Amino acid sequence: MKEGASVTGLGATTPLGGDVTSTWAGMLEGRSGVVAIEEDWARDLPVRIAGRMKTDPAEVLGRVKARRLDRCQQAALVAAREAWQDAGAPDVEPERLAVVIGTGVGGVLTTLAQNALLEESGARKVSPYTVPMLMPNGPAAVVSIELGARGGAHTPVSACASGAEAIAMGLDLIRLGRADVVVAGGAEACVHPLTLAGFAQARALSTRNDAPGEASRPFDGGRDGFVLGEGAAIVVLEREGFAAARGARAHATLAGAGTTSDAHHITAGDVSGQVRAMRLALASAGLEALDVGHVGAHATSTPTGDLTEAGSITEAIGTHPVVTAVKSMTGHLCGAAGAMGALATVLALRDGVVPAIRNLDDLDAQVKLDVVTGTPRRGGWTAAIANSFGFGGHNASLAFTR
């Protein structure tokens, strides 16, 4: 079995809270971070709900710093700072410290706002910070600068699997001997009329505008689409020997990872690709399917996507693990979703408790999984899988152990 990576730091800013503690408390309480969009620009949109960050990252960073960063970069920096401090700010050589932060679209809010400014007021009004703010590698870049990381700053762009692929890449960097510490995760902030309209036209979003907190309902028979969300989740990964030598506390161990591609359909997932990702993660971790006690499902609340994943979990692992779906509370954080799911899975293992799926009132009859409903489930699980699947056929599964 290959060496795993110690998860020594956790950071987040989400629709449930501005840090890990408040986000985790919100999950265990079953709260929803989905709200109505009150701005005038949303008035004529078919979908007027979203999972917006509970704490404005610009307020945390300060206006001077924030005005030079796109909102997704702001979120990444807030989460990375928390994760770094949670890990005890490891004393690591800059050349042995790497950053991998994925995103689905990067600085799209900057792109659209500056383009509107260009058309309305001319080229001289465009911000000189436009390009650094819109580039997808911006979150990884600003975090690497903040931490002085010179071991590489990487940006997987794999739609909704981006954050999970970033964490998988972090494990690879450690196993390849290229880094002792990797700050990895995902960030996204794309709540905008264009993205909402585009997803709505594809009939991917829930239209429960009158009941935002009830809109995201993974595995429920009445689900009608996902809820667009925003935020960031970051983990600090350390080579196990490095973490042990400095006496670091580990929340859990990233024991393995599996990534695959479906080559099937641009938006529809494929059972075989998802199954292979989970099985690769298990093999990478030296685990058997029966070792897995918990699965953090990707489960976005779409009619077909949830059924595809339910079938793939059943085939790859079985029906014995307890399954949750945190998007029922946060909405779908797109490029940050995989990292958010990984963070929740780490906390579930560490604390021995799995959050219940919100809004699961009527389990789809085709789902044969042991889903957690009503109240959180407690147990002594020693291994868990976190799934993340993205448009384009990107599949990423992460295997964690206590």
Side-chain angles (χ1 to χ4, degrees):
M1 183 176 66
K2 297 179 180 178
E3 179 185 30
S6 297
V7 183
T8 60
L10 302 173
T13 181
T14 77
L16 290 174
D19 56 20
V20 170
T21 299
S22 57
T23 295
W24 185 230
M27 289 181 180
L28 294 179
E29 293 167 10
R31 287 191 279 109
S32 174
V34 180
V35 297
I37 302 173
E38 304 290 352
E39 287 91 337
D40 289 343
W41 57 256
R43 184 177 303 158
D44 296 326
L45 291 175
V47 174
R48 299 180 298 278
I49 55 176
R52 296 180 127 172
M53 281 183 273
K54 187 77 170 179
T55 301
D56 185 351
E59 297 292 341
V60 178
L61 297 173
R63 291 296 175 182
V64 174
K65 178 97 174 165
R67 65 192 294 266
R68 299 183 179 184
L69 302 173
D70 183 82
R71 189 169 172 85
C72 76
Q73 296 171 354
Q74 296 171 12
L77 190 54
V78 167
R81 284 179 174 178
E82 182 188 10
W84 190 249
Q85 291 305 311
D86 184 48
D91 183 10
V92 57
E93 295 179 14
E95 292 75 16
R96 301 290 297 168
L97 171 62
V99 172
V100 191
I101 299 178
T103 184
V105 294
V108 66
L109 297 186
T110 293
T111 302
L112 295 169
Q114 292 300 312
N115 183 68
L117 191 62
L118 172 66
E119 293 183 350
E120 293 169 5
S121 304
R124 292 186 179 275
K125 293 297 183 179
V126 172
S127 169
Y129 300 107
T130 296
V131 173
M133 291 170 68
L134 66 82
M135 58 192 194
N137 62 305
V142 298
V143 170
S144 70
I145 292 168
E146 172 91 1
L147 300 179
R150 298 180 179 175
H154 307 280
T155 305
V157 179
S158 307
C160 308
S162 300
E165 283 200 5
I167 294 172
M169 185 175 181
L171 177 61
D172 285 344
L173 291 174
I174 288 172
R175 284 179 167 175
L176 290 169
R178 291 172 54 188
D180 292 318
V181 181
V182 181
V183 178
E188 200 80 273
C190 61
V191 177
H192 183 278
L194 180 62
T195 50
L196 286 165
F199 279 128
Q201 284 293 92
R203 298 184 179 180
L205 296 181
S206 171
T207 58
R208 295 174 186 262
N209 294 313
D210 57 340
E214 299 173 17
S216 185
R217 42 199 319 114
F219 300 125
D220 187 79
R223 66 192 182 280
D224 68 330
F226 72 83
V227 175
L228 185 63
E230 62 174 6
I234 302 290
V235 300
V236 175
L237 305 175
E238 299 189 35
R239 181 169 54 82
E240 288 183 306
F242 184 88
R246 72 181 189 89
R249 168 222 54 199
H251 296 286
T253 297
L254 175 58
T259 59
T260 66
S261 53
D262 293 338
H264 168 65
H265 189 276
I266 197 66
T267 58
D270 178 63
V271 169
S272 64
Q274 295 177 8
V275 167
R276 286 192 301 114
M278 283 181 265
R279 287 177 174 169
L280 285 171
L282 292 175
S284 174
L287 295 170
E288 300 292 336
L290 287 175
D291 296 326
V292 177
H294 165 50
V295 174
H298 180 63
T300 62
S301 183
T302 59
T304 58
D306 288 7
L307 285 183
T308 299
E309 184 178 12
S312 67
I313 292 172
T314 300
E315 182 175 339
I317 301 173
T319 57
H320 62 277
V322 296
V323 177
T324 196
V326 298
K327 291 181 184 68
S328 62
M329 293 166 276
T330 64
H332 191 351
L333 275 54
C334 297
M340 183 70 260
L343 187 147
T345 301
V346 166
L347 291 169
L349 277 179
R350 186 196 71 182
D351 295 349
V353 57
V354 171
I357 302 174
R358 181 182 169 88
N359 300 321
L360 184 45
D361 301 323
D362 180 21
L363 180 65
D364 190 312
Q366 298 181 70
V367 176
K368 307 303 180 182
L369 303 173
D370 182 10
V371 295
V372 183
T373 61
T375 58
R377 186 89 58 88
R378 295 193 174 275
W381 309 285
T382 57
I385 289 283
N387 283 332
S388 187
F389 310 126
F391 280 5
H394 304 276
N395 307 307
S397 295
L398 304 172
F400 294 97
T401 56
R402 291 183 72 179

